Amino acid sequence: MNSWRISALADRHRALGSSLADWNGMGTAWTYSTDLADEHEAIRTKAGLMDVSGLKKVHVIGPHAEMIINQATTRNVSKLYPGKSVYACMLNEAGKFIDDCVIYRNGPNAFMVVHGAGQGHEILTRGALGRNVAVLFDDDLHDLSLQGPLAVEYLSQHVPGIRQLPYFHHLQTQLFGRPVMISRTGYTGEDGVEILLPATQAPALWAQLLAAGVAPCGLGARDTLRLEAGMNLYGSDMDTTTTPLVSGLGWTVAWQPADRDFIGRSALEQQRAAGVPQTFVGLVLEERGVLRSHQTVHDGTREIGQTTSGAFSPTLNRGIALARVTA
C-alpha cells in the first residue's frame, strides 16, 4: 500500500484485523477478521459502521460558487437550499464520466462537494480560475457511514430531530458532545446516515459507536450492498468511456433551464437526439456460481452486452451483476 492520505482510524482498523488497502490514496479497511457475509447482514438487518473517509471533501465558497458547480456537474444546484444535498455526475466535454459526487449546500455561497476516485477536485479548481470563489480540499474531515434499518433509531437517542431529517438532507449538531455534520445519505440501499467530523474526534466516536453494539464493516461489504441495491460504482459501472444516459443515470441530468450550460451538455444532447444505444440492467444468475465484471451477456446466440460489476449476493444467495446491454 502506498497511500499519501492518512485515516485517523488506521490503528482501529488494524486492531480489528484489517491489513488496509489503498483507496483514493488512503489506507482503508476492506475486510476485517470477521466474515464479509456477517458484515453485510449486520447492515441489512441491524446497523453497521464503515469508515468512508477516503471520499474526497472539497469546499467551494464564494459569490461564484453556485455558478462553478452548475458548470462542473449535471445538476442545477440553484434549486438547493442550505441543509439539502443532491447526487450528481461530473463529465468531460464528450459527455463521458470523470467522476460522481454528492453536493451539499451549507449556505447561500457555501457548498461542499464529496467525490470519489475521479477528477472532481481538478475540474472544480479549473473552473474557479479567475472567479470570486475559493476551492479548499479538506483532508481533515472524516466520514463515518452508519447504515442499516436501526441506524437512525439508535441515533434518535442522542440527536434530537434526527428521525425527521429527510433523505438527502443534513444538519449541524452534536453527537456524544462532539460537533458533527450528519447527512441522511448512504451507499448501501438501507436507511442510514453519514457522520462527518474532524479527524481528531473520529477515533473516540468510532469506539463509542462500536461499544454501543454497532458492527464494524469494511468496504467489501459496502460493495455487495450497493450492488444488491443497483447502485453504480465509478470505475466499474461508469467510466471515461460511458455517459449518464447509457449508465442508468439520465435522471441526474438537469436539462432545464434550456440555457444552463454544463460541461458535456452538447454531447449528451446529441446522444439523446440520436437515441441511446445501450441500457443498464440488473442480472440474477439462476444456476450456482458467481458473476464478475467484463463477462459477455448473450440473448440466445446474439451477444448483446457486458457485465460491469458482479458478486455473490448474500441476501439473494445467488450471483448478481449489473450489465450494459443493447437498448
Side-chain angles (χ1 to χ4, degrees), residues 72-93:
T73 74
T74 56
R75 291 288 199 168
N76 181 5
V77 298
S78 305
K79 296 181 177 182
L80 295 184
Y81 46 83
K84 181 77 172 70
S85 58
V86 69
Y87 174 76
C89 302
M90 307 179 84
L91 312 175
N92 59 23
E93 292 292 351

Side-chain angles (χ1 to χ4, degrees), residues 184-206:
R184 194 80 176 262
T185 49
Y187 189 51
T188 64
E190 292 294 339
D191 194 7
V193 300
E194 292 180 88
I195 305 167
L196 294 102
L197 74 169
T200 55
Q201 301 291 322
L205 182 62
W206 175 271

Side-chain angles (χ1 to χ4, degrees), residues 140-158:
D140 176 70
L141 200 62
H142 276 41
D143 190 345
L144 305 184
S145 185
L146 178 62
Q147 299 289 305
L150 300 183
V152 174
E153 178 65 27
Y154 171 75
L155 283 185
S156 68
Q157 305 170 41
H158 309 282

Side-chain angles (χ1 to χ4, degrees), residues 101-117:
C101 63
V102 175
I103 306 163
Y104 298 84
R105 187 162 206 157
N106 294 324
N109 292 328
F111 296 83
M112 181 171 69
V113 179
V114 178
H115 70 94

Side-chain angles (χ1 to χ4, degrees), residues 41-48 147-151 191:
E41 184 181 5
I43 290 179
R44 275 283 177 260
T45 61
K46 297 177 183 177
Q147 299 289 305
L150 300 183
D191 194 7

